[in-house]
CSV table of all heavy atoms in Angstrom, one decimal:
chain,number,residue,atom,x,y,z
K,238,PHE,N,0.9,-2.6,-3.5
K,238,PHE,CA,-0.1,-1.6,-4.0
K,238,PHE,C,-0.1,-1.6,-5.5
K,238,PHE,O,1.0,-1.1,-6.1
K,238,PHE,CB,0.3,-0.2,-3.4
K,238,PHE,CG,0.0,0.0,-2.0
K,238,PHE,CD1,1.0,-0.2,-1.0
K,238,PHE,CD2,-1.2,0.5,-1.6
K,238,PHE,CE1,0.7,0.0,0.4
K,238,PHE,CE2,-1.5,0.7,-0.2
K,238,PHE,CZ,-0.5,0.5,0.7
K,239,ASP,N,-1.1,-2.0,-6.1
K,239,ASP,CA,-1.2,-1.8,-7.6
K,239,ASP,C,-2.3,-0.7,-7.9
K,239,ASP,O,-3.3,-1.0,-8.4
K,239,ASP,CB,-1.5,-3.1,-8.3
K,239,ASP,CG,-0.9,-3.1,-9.7
K,239,ASP,OD1,-0.4,-2.1,-10.2
K,239,ASP,OD2,-0.8,-4.2,-10.3
K,240,SER,N,-1.9,0.5,-7.6
K,240,SER,CA,-2.9,1.6,-7.6
K,240,SER,C,-3.4,2.0,-8.9
K,240,SER,O,-4.5,2.5,-9.1
K,240,SER,CB,-2.2,2.9,-7.0
K,240,SER,OG,-1.6,2.6,-5.8
K,241,TRP,N,-2.7,1.6,-10.0
K,241,TRP,CA,-3.1,1.9,-11.3
K,241,TRP,C,-3.5,0.7,-12.2
K,241,TRP,O,-3.5,0.7,-13.4
K,241,TRP,CB,-2.0,2.7,-12.1
K,241,TRP,CG,-1.8,4.0,-11.4
K,241,TRP,CD1,-0.8,4.4,-10.6
K,241,TRP,CD2,-2.7,5.2,-11.3
K,241,TRP,NE1,-0.9,5.6,-10.1
K,241,TRP,CE2,-2.1,6.1,-10.5
K,241,TRP,CE3,-4.0,5.4,-11.8
K,241,TRP,CZ2,-2.7,7.4,-10.2
K,241,TRP,CZ3,-4.6,6.6,-11.6
K,241,TRP,CH2,-4.0,7.6,-10.8
K,242,ALA,N,-3.8,-0.5,-11.5
K,242,ALA,CA,-4.2,-1.7,-12.2
K,242,ALA,C,-5.5,-1.4,-13.1
K,242,ALA,O,-5.6,-1.9,-14.1
K,242,ALA,CB,-4.5,-2.8,-11.2
K,243,GLY,N,-6.3,-0.5,-12.5
K,243,GLY,CA,-7.6,-0.2,-13.2
K,243,GLY,C,-7.4,0.5,-14.6
K,243,GLY,O,-8.3,0.7,-15.3
K,244,LEU,N,-6.2,1.0,-14.9
K,244,LEU,CA,-5.9,1.6,-16.2
K,244,LEU,C,-5.9,0.6,-17.3
K,244,LEU,O,-5.9,1.0,-18.5
K,244,LEU,CB,-4.6,2.4,-16.2
K,244,LEU,CG,-4.5,3.7,-15.4
K,244,LEU,CD1,-3.1,4.3,-15.5
K,244,LEU,CD2,-5.5,4.7,-15.8
K,245,LEU,N,-5.6,-0.6,-17.0
K,245,LEU,CA,-5.4,-1.6,-18.1
K,245,LEU,C,-6.6,-2.2,-18.6
K,245,LEU,O,-7.6,-2.5,-17.9
K,245,LEU,CB,-4.4,-2.7,-17.6
K,245,LEU,CG,-3.0,-2.3,-17.4
K,245,LEU,CD1,-2.3,-3.3,-16.5
K,245,LEU,CD2,-2.3,-2.2,-18.7
K,246,ASP,N,-6.7,-2.6,-19.9
K,246,ASP,CA,-7.7,-3.4,-20.5
K,246,ASP,C,-7.5,-4.8,-20.0
K,246,ASP,O,-6.3,-5.2,-19.8
K,246,ASP,CB,-7.6,-3.4,-22.1
K,246,ASP,CG,-7.9,-2.1,-22.6
K,246,ASP,OD1,-8.6,-1.3,-22.0
K,246,ASP,OD2,-7.5,-1.8,-23.8
K,247,ASN,N,-8.5,-5.6,-20.0
K,247,ASN,CA,-8.4,-7.0,-19.6
K,247,ASN,C,-7.3,-7.8,-20.3
K,247,ASN,O,-6.6,-8.5,-19.7
K,247,ASN,CB,-9.7,-7.7,-19.8
K,247,ASN,CG,-10.7,-7.5,-18.6
K,247,ASN,OD1,-10.2,-7.1,-17.5
K,247,ASN,ND2,-12.0,-7.6,-18.8
K,248,LYS,N,-7.2,-7.5,-21.6
K,248,LYS,CA,-6.3,-8.3,-22.4
K,248,LYS,C,-4.8,-8.0,-22.0
K,248,LYS,O,-3.9,-8.8,-22.3
K,248,LYS,CB,-6.5,-8.0,-23.9
K,248,LYS,CG,-6.2,-6.6,-24.4
K,248,LYS,CD,-6.2,-6.5,-25.9
K,248,LYS,CE,-5.9,-5.1,-26.4
K,248,LYS,NZ,-5.0,-4.2,-25.7
K,249,ASP,N,-4.5,-6.9,-21.4
K,249,ASP,CA,-3.2,-6.6,-21.0
K,249,ASP,C,-2.8,-7.0,-19.6
K,249,ASP,O,-1.7,-6.8,-19.1
K,249,ASP,CB,-2.9,-5.1,-21.2
K,249,ASP,CG,-3.0,-4.7,-22.6
K,249,ASP,OD1,-2.6,-5.5,-23.5
K,249,ASP,OD2,-3.6,-3.6,-22.9
K,250,LEU,N,-3.8,-7.5,-18.8
K,250,LEU,CA,-3.5,-7.8,-17.4
K,250,LEU,C,-2.5,-8.9,-17.2
K,250,LEU,O,-1.7,-8.8,-16.3
K,250,LEU,CB,-4.8,-8.1,-16.7
K,250,LEU,CG,-5.8,-7.0,-16.4
K,250,LEU,CD1,-7.1,-7.6,-15.9
K,250,LEU,CD2,-5.2,-6.0,-15.4
K,251,GLY,N,-2.5,-9.8,-18.1
K,251,GLY,CA,-1.5,-11.0,-18.0
K,251,GLY,C,-0.1,-10.5,-18.0
K,251,GLY,O,0.6,-10.8,-17.0
K,252,LYS,N,0.2,-9.7,-18.9
K,252,LYS,CA,1.6,-9.3,-19.1
K,252,LYS,C,2.1,-8.3,-18.0
K,252,LYS,O,3.1,-8.4,-17.5
K,252,LYS,CB,1.8,-8.6,-20.5
K,252,LYS,CG,3.1,-7.9,-20.6
K,252,LYS,CD,3.4,-7.6,-22.0
K,252,LYS,CE,4.8,-6.9,-22.0
K,252,LYS,NZ,5.5,-6.7,-23.2
K,253,TYR,N,1.2,-7.3,-17.7
K,253,TYR,CA,1.6,-6.2,-16.8
K,253,TYR,C,1.3,-6.4,-15.4
K,253,TYR,O,1.9,-5.9,-14.5
K,253,TYR,CB,1.0,-4.9,-17.3
K,253,TYR,CG,1.5,-4.5,-18.7
K,253,TYR,CD1,0.6,-4.6,-19.7
K,253,TYR,CD2,2.8,-4.1,-18.9
K,253,TYR,CE1,1.1,-4.3,-21.0
K,253,TYR,CE2,3.2,-3.7,-20.1
K,253,TYR,CZ,2.3,-3.8,-21.2
K,253,TYR,OH,2.8,-3.5,-22.4
K,254,VAL,N,0.2,-7.2,-15.1
K,254,VAL,CA,-0.2,-7.4,-13.7
K,254,VAL,C,0.0,-8.8,-13.2
K,254,VAL,O,0.7,-9.1,-12.3
K,254,VAL,CB,-1.7,-6.9,-13.5
K,254,VAL,CG1,-2.2,-7.3,-12.1
K,254,VAL,CG2,-1.8,-5.4,-13.7
K,255,TYR,N,-0.7,-9.8,-13.9
K,255,TYR,CA,-0.7,-11.1,-13.4
K,255,TYR,C,0.7,-11.7,-13.3
K,255,TYR,O,1.1,-12.2,-12.2
K,255,TYR,CB,-1.6,-12.0,-14.2
K,255,TYR,CG,-3.1,-11.7,-14.2
K,255,TYR,CD1,-3.9,-12.0,-15.3
K,255,TYR,CD2,-3.6,-11.0,-13.1
K,255,TYR,CE1,-5.2,-11.7,-15.3
K,255,TYR,CE2,-5.0,-10.7,-13.1
K,255,TYR,CZ,-5.8,-11.0,-14.2
K,255,TYR,OH,-7.1,-10.7,-14.2
K,256,ASN,N,1.4,-11.7,-14.4
K,256,ASN,CA,2.8,-12.4,-14.4
K,256,ASN,C,3.7,-11.7,-13.4
K,256,ASN,O,4.2,-12.5,-12.5
K,256,ASN,CB,3.4,-12.4,-15.8
K,256,ASN,CG,2.6,-13.3,-16.7
K,256,ASN,OD1,1.7,-14.1,-16.2
K,256,ASN,ND2,2.8,-13.1,-18.0
K,257,PRO,N,4.0,-10.4,-13.5
K,257,PRO,CA,5.0,-9.9,-12.5
K,257,PRO,C,4.6,-9.9,-11.1
K,257,PRO,O,5.4,-10.2,-10.2
K,257,PRO,CB,5.3,-8.5,-13.0
K,257,PRO,CG,4.1,-8.1,-13.9
K,257,PRO,CD,3.6,-9.4,-14.4
K,258,THR,N,3.3,-9.7,-10.8
K,258,THR,CA,2.8,-9.7,-9.4
K,258,THR,C,2.8,-11.1,-8.8
K,258,THR,O,3.2,-11.3,-7.7
K,258,THR,CB,1.4,-9.0,-9.3
K,258,THR,OG1,1.5,-7.7,-9.9
K,258,THR,CG2,1.1,-8.8,-7.8
K,259,SER,N,2.4,-12.1,-9.6
K,259,SER,CA,2.4,-13.5,-9.1
K,259,SER,C,3.9,-13.9,-8.7
K,259,SER,O,4.0,-14.5,-7.6
K,259,SER,CB,2.1,-14.5,-10.2
K,259,SER,OG,0.9,-14.2,-10.7
K,260,SER,N,4.8,-13.4,-9.5
K,260,SER,CA,6.2,-13.8,-9.2
K,260,SER,C,6.6,-13.1,-7.8
K,260,SER,O,7.3,-13.8,-7.0
K,260,SER,CB,7.1,-13.2,-10.3
K,260,SER,OG,8.4,-13.3,-9.9
K,261,LEU,N,6.2,-11.9,-7.5
K,261,LEU,CA,6.5,-11.3,-6.2
K,261,LEU,C,5.8,-12.0,-5.1
K,261,LEU,O,6.3,-12.2,-4.0
K,261,LEU,CB,6.0,-9.9,-6.2
K,261,LEU,CG,6.8,-8.8,-7.1
K,261,LEU,CD1,6.2,-7.5,-6.8
K,261,LEU,CD2,8.2,-8.9,-6.8
K,262,VAL,N,4.5,-12.4,-5.3
K,262,VAL,CA,3.7,-13.0,-4.2
K,262,VAL,C,4.3,-14.4,-3.9
K,262,VAL,O,4.5,-14.7,-2.7
K,262,VAL,CB,2.3,-13.2,-4.7
K,262,VAL,CG1,1.5,-14.1,-3.7
K,262,VAL,CG2,1.6,-11.9,-4.8
K,263,GLU,N,4.7,-15.1,-4.9
K,263,GLU,CA,5.3,-16.4,-4.7
K,263,GLU,C,6.6,-16.3,-3.9
K,263,GLU,O,6.9,-17.0,-2.9
K,263,GLU,CB,5.6,-17.0,-6.0
K,263,GLU,CG,5.2,-18.4,-6.2
K,263,GLU,CD,5.6,-18.8,-7.7
K,263,GLU,OE1,6.7,-19.3,-7.8
K,263,GLU,OE2,4.7,-18.7,-8.5
K,264,PHE,N,7.4,-15.3,-4.3
K,264,PHE,CA,8.7,-15.0,-3.7
K,264,PHE,C,8.5,-14.7,-2.2
K,264,PHE,O,9.2,-15.3,-1.3
K,264,PHE,CB,9.4,-13.9,-4.4
K,264,PHE,CG,10.6,-13.4,-3.7
K,264,PHE,CD1,11.8,-14.1,-3.8
K,264,PHE,CD2,10.6,-12.2,-2.9
K,264,PHE,CE1,13.0,-13.7,-3.2
K,264,PHE,CE2,11.8,-11.8,-2.3
K,264,PHE,CZ,13.0,-12.5,-2.4
K,265,THR,N,7.5,-13.8,-1.9
K,265,THR,CA,7.3,-13.4,-0.5
K,265,THR,C,6.8,-14.6,0.3
K,265,THR,O,7.3,-14.8,1.5
K,265,THR,CB,6.3,-12.2,-0.5
K,265,THR,OG1,6.7,-11.3,-1.4
K,265,THR,CG2,6.2,-11.6,0.9
K,266,LYS,N,6.0,-15.4,-0.3
K,266,LYS,CA,5.5,-16.6,0.5
K,266,LYS,C,6.7,-17.5,0.8
K,266,LYS,O,6.7,-18.1,1.9
K,266,LYS,CB,4.5,-17.3,-0.3
K,266,LYS,CG,3.1,-16.6,-0.4
K,266,LYS,CD,2.1,-17.5,-1.2
K,266,LYS,CE,0.8,-17.0,-1.2
K,266,LYS,NZ,-0.1,-17.8,-2.1
K,267,THR,N,7.6,-17.7,-0.1
K,267,THR,CA,8.8,-18.5,0.2
K,267,THR,C,9.6,-18.0,1.4
K,267,THR,O,10.3,-18.8,2.0
K,267,THR,CB,9.7,-18.7,-1.0
K,267,THR,OG1,10.3,-17.5,-1.3
K,267,THR,CG2,9.0,-19.3,-2.2
K,268,LEU,N,9.5,-16.7,1.7
K,268,LEU,CA,10.1,-16.2,2.9
K,268,LEU,C,9.3,-16.3,4.1
K,268,LEU,O,9.6,-15.8,5.2
K,268,LEU,CB,10.5,-14.7,2.6
K,268,LEU,CG,11.4,-14.5,1.4
K,268,LEU,CD1,11.6,-13.0,1.2
K,268,LEU,CD2,12.8,-15.2,1.6
K,269,GLY,N,8.1,-17.0,4.0
K,269,GLY,CA,7.3,-17.3,5.1
K,269,GLY,C,6.4,-16.1,5.6
K,269,GLY,O,6.0,-16.0,6.8
K,270,VAL,N,6.2,-15.1,4.7
K,270,VAL,CA,5.5,-13.9,5.1
K,270,VAL,C,4.2,-13.7,4.3
K,270,VAL,O,4.3,-13.9,3.0
K,270,VAL,CB,6.4,-12.7,5.0
K,270,VAL,CG1,5.7,-11.4,5.0
K,270,VAL,CG2,7.5,-12.7,6.1
K,271,PRO,N,3.1,-13.5,4.9
K,271,PRO,CA,1.9,-13.3,4.1
K,271,PRO,C,1.9,-12.0,3.3
K,271,PRO,O,2.5,-11.0,3.6
K,271,PRO,CB,0.8,-13.3,5.1
K,271,PRO,CG,1.4,-13.1,6.5
K,271,PRO,CD,2.9,-13.4,6.3
K,272,VAL,N,1.1,-12.1,2.2
K,272,VAL,CA,1.1,-10.9,1.3
K,272,VAL,C,-0.4,-10.5,1.1
K,272,VAL,O,-1.3,-11.3,0.9
K,272,VAL,CB,1.5,-11.4,-0.2
K,272,VAL,CG1,1.7,-10.1,-1.0
K,272,VAL,CG2,2.7,-12.2,-0.1
K,273,ILE,N,-0.6,-9.1,1.2
K,273,ILE,CA,-1.9,-8.5,0.9
K,273,ILE,C,-1.7,-7.8,-0.5
K,273,ILE,O,-0.8,-7.1,-0.7
K,273,ILE,CB,-2.2,-7.4,1.9
K,273,ILE,CG1,-2.2,-8.1,3.3
K,273,ILE,CG2,-3.6,-6.9,1.7
K,273,ILE,CD1,-2.4,-7.0,4.5
K,274,CYS,N,-2.7,-8.1,-1.4
K,274,CYS,CA,-2.6,-7.4,-2.7
K,274,CYS,C,-3.7,-6.4,-2.8
K,274,CYS,O,-4.9,-6.7,-2.5
K,274,CYS,CB,-2.6,-8.4,-3.8
K,274,CYS,SG,-1.1,-9.3,-4.0
Side-chain angles (χ1 to χ4, degrees):
F238 287 93
D239 212 346
S240 306
W241 298 107
L244 288 179
L245 285 163
D246 292 339
N247 278 339
K248 66 170 179 32
D249 294 324
L250 286 173
K252 170 166 182 168
Y253 297 106
V254 171
Y255 296 152
N256 293 345
T258 307
S259 304
S260 170
L261 291 186
V262 169
E263 229 178 86
F264 173 78
T265 311
K266 285 181 177 174
T267 63
L268 301 176
V270 166
V272 192
I273 306 173
C274 285

